[in-house]
Amino acid sequence: MTVSVRTVLPRLLAGVCLLALASCGGRGPGEPPLIPSEQKLKPVSFSALPGWGQDVQAEALPALRRSCDSFQRRSDARRWVGPGSLGGTVEDWQRFCSDLRREFPPSHSASSASVREFLEARMQPWSVSSSGRPSGTFTGYYEAELKGCLKKTLRCQVPLYGPPPGVVTDTRKVPPLPSRAAIESGALNGRAPVLMYAEDPVDVHIMQIQGSGRVILPDGKVQRLGFAGSNGHAFKGLGRILLDHGILGPGQATMPFIRAWLKENRDRAGALMRENPRYTFFRVIHGDGPVGALSVPLTARRSIAVDPRYVPLGVPLWLNSVDPDHKPLRRLMVAQDTGSAIKGVVRGDFFWGPGEQALAKAGRMKSAGTWYLLLPRQSAPTH
């Protein structure tokens, strides 16, 4: 993730159509709706996927199973999985998922060779390009982590708010709630529930940008928080703010550098952060997380955020890119999330997982690359 890439992540706001993994327009098996004209797809062989034989595909099984849980819960088997008819029908995926469950039950281990063989027998890879350009941009994000307490203490002074009554996950709420500066000055005292308190306001701001995170309590226990809405104000990234003030130089607009600078310059940090008027509210998450736009927990290094106008949520894809250290990043991924800045035919945000090591990768990643959608063989995309 470069700073300009990840905003406050209204992933849960994508609406009924997005959560349904389908375009709102069509139901099968009638005349299939067309996919967007700027999106070009071409069938290729699995041997054409760079690095296909070197990945540990078995590591992607948890992500595939979670997508299948979402598909199998659906009752609209005849609906096209959009955009257009790109992904076939829900029934196609339910059939694939039944086979996956039978071949790879969670209680049994699996080899990557067997997973490759399974996918090769059932899926067709499609190269993706945008108006003839196959290359796009891939950034990274992570699950933020901070130290906090259930109650206010001398060390824990920064409130982590739940949404005030009447606020839902609709960031288009008009009129908006008070700005960040007003909220941090007490505008919501007594109006919004305080879920817990954090030690560091810089870490809180970064967790709000990521949209979810883990709070490490004094006894070592971990409490996850997820996105629950915002105050409706426009987002302004920390990188943009520091650039406008002449603080950042070339190559410094990365989250690790910005976080370090803010913590080393606390006399200026508060005022600068308040120039971002967007404020995020959280909810307590029980169980695995973080939870993406597909409403399933994300899998580190196997889940990816996409633009659902072009890539159906829940489907597997093959990523061909590099990590922030320019090492090959060629692996089986699953589209399970979205992001307000993730826009385009070939545009993805790679989920690195939780904590500092993930931040070190996500905060520096901005790589060129290509990808290939893996779609059921019996359904061919229609232009």
Side-chain angles (χ1 to χ4, degrees):
M1 179 201 79
T2 59
V3 175
S4 61
V5 169
R6 213 68 184 171
T7 65
V8 182
L9 294 186
R11 295 189 176 97
L12 302 179
L13 317 183
V16 173
C17 295
L18 188 153
L19 291 178
L21 296 86
S23 76
C24 297
R27 280 187 181 274
E31 186 68 22
L34 300 180
I35 66 174
S37 60
E38 66 271 25
Q39 185 175 23
K40 306 300 181 183
L41 297 108
K42 178 183 178 181
V44 299
S45 66
F46 276 92
S47 62
L49 306 186
W52 174 252
Q54 286 72 55
D55 186 30
V56 186
Q57 281 91 340
E59 292 179 354
L61 279 174
L64 288 170
R65 292 187 183 112
R66 285 166 170 167
S67 280
C68 280
D69 288 343
S70 179
F71 278 119
Q72 298 285 41
R73 286 194 296 265
R74 295 181 56 178
S75 58
D76 55 345
R78 291 166 58 85
R79 182 173 288 277
W80 296 105
V81 175
S85 60
L86 187 149
T89 66
V90 172
E91 186 177 20
D92 294 331
W93 289 98
Q94 290 176 337
R95 188 179 301 113
F96 166 82
C97 290
S98 294
D99 291 346
L100 183 80
R101 181 175 298 174
R102 183 178 61 254
E103 292 288 330
F104 304 107
S107 58
H108 293 71
S109 60
S111 69
S112 292
S114 64
V115 176
R116 284 195 293 270
E117 182 180 351
F118 174 87
L119 293 172
E120 289 169 2
R122 291 164 177 80
M123 309 300 273
Q124 169 64 54
W126 296 81
S127 66
V128 183
S129 62
S130 177
S131 301
R133 297 185 299 275
S135 183
T137 300
F138 296 91
T139 49
Y141 69 112
Y142 78 113
E143 186 180 20
E145 195 171 83
L146 56 76
K147 294 181 180 179
C149 309
L150 295 178
K151 296 182 178 180
K152 192 173 185 178
T153 68
L154 290 175
R155 291 180 61 86
C156 298
Q157 297 279 326
V158 186
L160 295 166
Y161 285 113
V167 173
V168 292
T169 56
D170 184 0
T171 57
R172 296 169 297 177
K173 181 179 176 67
V174 178
L177 291 166
S179 68
R180 170 182 296 278
I183 292 173
E184 292 182 351
S185 298
L188 291 184
N189 288 355
R191 294 176 56 193
V194 178
L195 304 180
M196 55 189 64
Y197 291 87
E199 292 186 7
D200 194 313
V202 174
D203 290 338
V204 170
H205 196 114
I206 291 172
M207 192 166 84
Q208 290 186 333
I209 294 173
Q210 296 297 307
S212 64
R214 293 156 38 109
V215 180
I216 312 300
L217 301 173
D219 61 1
K221 293 181 179 179
V222 176
Q223 177 59 66
R224 275 193 165 94
L225 298 181
F227 181 83
S230 82
N231 61 348
H233 288 255
F235 173 80
K236 187 174 183 180
L238 293 174
R240 181 73 268 161
I241 292 169
L242 269 62
L243 283 167
D244 288 347
H245 284 267
I247 293 169
L248 297 182
Q252 295 177 335
T254 67
M255 187 59 79
F257 182 90
I258 289 170
R259 186 182 68 165
W261 189 94
L262 291 170
K263 290 190 174 191
E264 292 168 3
N265 296 271
R266 295 199 180 263
D267 56 326
R268 300 183 62 188
L272 290 168
M273 290 190 295
R274 282 192 288 274
E275 291 187 21
N276 171 25
R278 174 76 68 88
Y279 192 92
T280 299
F281 302 110
F282 295 107
R283 60 188 176 96
V284 174
I285 299 292
H286 299 288
D288 292 337
V291 175
L294 187 58
S295 296
V296 301
L298 303 178
T299 302
R301 303 187 180 207
R302 294 294 174 175
S303 295
I304 193 166
V306 301
D307 186 340
R309 295 176 301 170
Y310 303 107
V311 179
L313 281 179
V315 309
L317 54 87
W318 183 254
L319 174 64
N320 174 35
S321 186
V322 295
D323 72 8
D325 300 308
H326 306 290
K327 295 179 180 179
L329 199 60
R330 296 169 173 170
R331 55 177 47 215
L332 181 64
M333 305 292 295
V334 187
Q336 294 180 320
D337 206 358
T338 63
S340 59
I342 310 307
K343 304 298 181 186
V345 176
V346 186
R347 177 72 176 90
D349 212 12
F350 186 98
F351 178 61
W352 284 96
E356 293 297 310
Q357 290 185 341
L359 168 62
K361 291 286 191 179
R364 297 184 294 116
M365 184 171 175
K366 189 173 183 181
S367 305
T370 59
W371 61 14
Y372 304 78
L373 298 183
L374 305 185
L375 303 175
R377 284 195 177 275
Q378 66 268 29
S379 58
T382 305
H383 278 278

